[in-house]
Amino acid sequence: MQNRTTAIQITGERRENSMKKRIANALSSARGLLNSKSGDQMTGWLIVVLVVVVVGAVFMTLYQGSITSIWNSIVTKITSLLS
């Protein structure tokens, strides 16, 4: 019974702290660094670039098969139109 309670707590925590919410929090923190007059703006921009690269890498990893099949269908259609 305790395992079920723990699983319910973990599921609730994942719903509350979803990836979208975590990314939004990271971008909000980076925006605060960019807007602060006393902070180093270069650090803020580096954080933004890092977040974009990480999110892009995760996206590419998760959806690589779909992206590949869509790209192949586009190339096939263009090739057939040019033939």
Side-chain angles (χ1 to χ4, degrees):
M1 188 64 164
Q2 186 174 3
N3 288 341
R4 185 169 186 232
T5 306
T6 306
I8 291 171
Q9 289 172 343
I10 291 171
T11 304
E13 184 177 315
R14 286 183 182 162
R15 287 182 183 150
E16 290 173 7
N17 298 323
S18 65
M19 182 62 86
K20 186 185 286 187
K21 195 171 192 178
R22 290 179 188 169
I23 292 170
N25 287 340
L27 290 175
S28 176
S29 298
R31 189 176 301 127
L33 283 174
L34 291 173
N35 289 336
S36 68
K37 300 295 182 192
S38 62
D40 186 9
Q41 285 191 347
M42 184 58 74
T43 303
W45 283 112
L46 288 174
I47 290 172
V48 169
V49 169
L50 178 66
V51 167
V52 168
V53 168
V54 168
V55 169
V58 168
F59 179 79
M60 289 296 290
T61 302
L62 292 176
Y63 299 106
Q64 184 176 9
S66 301
I67 292 169
T68 304
S69 64
I70 291 170
W71 178 256
N72 287 337
S73 66
I74 291 171
V75 169
T76 304
K77 183 157 293 240
I78 291 172
T79 305
S80 66
L81 288 173
L82 294 176
S83 295

